[in-house]
Amino acid sequence: MKLTQAHDVTLPTGVLGLAVAADGRQAFVACADGLIYAVNPISGEVESFEERHQSFASGCVLLPDGRTLISSGYDGMLLWHDTSTRACWRRIRAHNFWSWRTALSPDGARLASVTGQYLPGGWKYEPSAEVEPSVKIFDTATGELVSAFSHTPPVLSCAFSPDGSHLAAGNMMGDVCVWNVHGAQAASETEVGVSRWNSPDFTSWGSTKTHHYCGGIYCLAFSPDGRSILGCGMGPMQDPMAGNGKMTWQRWDWRTGDKLGEILDGERGAGLMEALAWHPRGDYFAMAGRQAQGNWNAGIFSAVSGNLADSFDSKNRITQTRFAPDGTSLLVGAAEGQPRRNAGVWGAWGRVQVYRVSD
């Protein structure tokens, strides 16, 4: 599988969230200025929505009807927007801290949002206990809180299974927990989940300079057949301030936590990987993020062998990837460095890029 860049759209600020319409011809992005933008990735037309988050807009999901977009932000809010009028018509406080990541159930009926702040809880710098449930699920029709689950904060990623029956969430310590979100649940299952496991390859303890943990599982994605789950992030390093831990992905049997595969040492560089996307056929997946060392920050991997099939260095930080529903293109949301002022005007540093996919 090969990727060839076809379109490159510039936005005022860095892209943190990305949703793609069912026909693949329109994208919606959540940006660092708190605004949501509608983007035509072919023509390059960009239009902002009316209401912004009071901090970074961290994510957005598009409901199946195409008329409603729900955005999340570091202000802890969820905003419901009309995609035709660009107006916001519902506001819900989801968390007292950031919404790190959101996920939409396949039927569009449920929205999951995860939160949590890393604060040292003891002399070993282990994370403090959560002060609110780190994982919450909301009804997209009413905005009501449906479920809340405990996890070790900060929880950085979440994903629904293809049938919508289970939700997985991963944190900074490399812990993944999976819950059954359908029907009645026993109290014990609500607390501990269906399965839970830890991978030390997704966290770092600073043994030099500043002592703290960093890294984590920044994205989770169930395989299209629902049998396994992928996680990506950044692996161990001595100096967390350097941001040069190993680029990594692992694949697990989500019912047992058994590892089924991982990135090969000869195919990885250093940096934070924070975006995953399965090709609709299920035979390839994309991983992307920010590179510190190496020669690529976005790659396509075979789901059968785990080998790197193609890669490129976009020279920016890729935060989101989505395959078009027909699998013929890969859309990328990114932030290009930090903004600079020229004659008193801040430069644009957001990107939506489209890559053609060929076998």
Side-chain angles (χ1 to χ4, degrees):
M1 182 169 285
K2 297 293 183 181
L3 298 174
T4 305
Q5 185 173 320
H7 303 282
D8 188 357
V9 181
T10 300
L11 290 104
T13 60
V15 174
L16 299 179
L18 172 66
V20 181
D23 61 6
R25 296 179 180 178
Q26 188 172 41
F28 300 93
V29 293
C31 290
D33 59 2
L35 281 171
I36 309 302
Y37 294 87
V39 179
N40 184 318
I42 309 302
S43 69
E45 182 181 0
V46 175
E47 182 180 353
S48 65
F49 280 47
E50 289 184 0
E51 186 161 338
R52 74 172 71 216
H53 287 269
Q54 297 305 304
S55 185
F56 293 173
S58 56
C60 58
V61 298
L62 182 66
L63 298 195
D65 63 11
R67 298 193 298 267
T68 303
L69 187 87
I70 305 175
S71 64
S72 59
Y74 281 9
D75 56 1
M77 300 294 291
L78 298 176
L79 304 182
W80 273 249
H81 310 265
D82 186 305
T83 57
S84 297
T85 66
R86 314 297 193 221
C88 175
W89 55 274
R90 177 185 288 148
R91 303 160 186 81
I92 298 293
R93 173 158 293 283
H95 311 291
N96 294 321
F97 191 64
W98 302 347
S99 172
W100 283 98
R101 180 82 70 155
T102 54
L104 184 68
S105 63
D107 63 2
R110 298 287 185 265
L111 174 74
S113 178
V114 295
T115 189
Q117 182 181 14
Y118 170 60
L119 295 171
W123 67 275
K124 293 183 179 180
Y125 289 82
E126 64 276 13
S128 295
E130 60 188 5
V131 296
E132 61 174 315
S134 297
V135 181
K136 294 182 179 180
I137 301 176
F138 298 86
D139 186 303
T140 60
T142 66
E144 294 180 356
L145 178 66
V146 175
S147 302
F149 303 109
S150 294
H151 206 336
T152 302
V155 182
L156 307 174
S157 56
C158 58
F160 279 98
S161 60
D163 64 1
S165 64
H166 290 80
L167 178 74
N171 70 2
M172 185 182 66
M173 305 303 291
D175 299 317
V176 181
C177 193
V178 181
W179 296 273
N180 183 344
V181 297
H182 274 184
Q185 301 178 35
S188 60
E189 183 178 292
T190 302
E191 291 299 320
V192 303
V194 174
S195 58
R196 186 184 183 106
W197 67 91
N198 172 268
S199 174
D201 298 321
F202 285 93
T203 193
S204 292
W205 162 249
S207 59
T208 64
K209 299 180 182 177
T210 304
H211 297 311
H212 63 272
Y213 282 98
C214 77
I217 299 173
Y218 273 73
C219 192
L220 289 169
F222 281 88
S223 59
D225 63 10
R227 296 180 180 177
S228 63
I229 190 169
L230 275 170
C232 75
M234 184 167 63
M237 54 184 162
Q238 290 185 327
D239 178 11
M241 301 302 290
N244 60 357
K246 292 181 178 180
M247 298 174 172
T248 194
W249 63 259
Q250 288 184 355
R251 187 177 180 184
W252 305 280
D253 180 330
W254 62 266
R255 296 185 182 276
T256 64
D258 293 335
K259 185 167 64 175
L260 303 177
E262 64 182 325
I263 191 171
L264 302 176
D265 281 337
E267 295 184 341
R268 74 169 108 210
L272 173 61
M273 296 288 99
E274 50 188 313
L276 287 169
W278 280 93
H279 189 273
R281 292 198 312 252
D283 53 352
Y284 288 91
F285 61 87
M287 180 177 76
R290 177 176 57 207
Q291 178 183 270
Q293 299 168 2
N295 54 21
W296 62 269
N297 73 326
I300 298 289
F301 295 84
S302 166
V304 177
S305 66
N307 291 111
L308 183 66
D310 194 20
S311 64
F312 61 87
D313 181 6
S314 66
K315 306 298 183 183
N316 55 32
R317 172 193 173 190
I318 296 175
T319 57
Q320 295 285 342
T321 56
R322 298 282 188 273
F323 280 101
D326 63 4
T328 60
S329 61
L330 178 71
L331 283 80
V332 167
E336 187 176 22
Q338 295 295 328
R340 298 176 183 274
R341 293 185 70 177
N342 183 10
V345 179
W346 289 102
W349 56 291
R351 293 288 185 274
V352 171
Q353 298 172 328
V354 180
Y355 291 83
R356 291 196 182 95
V357 177
S358 59
D359 289 319

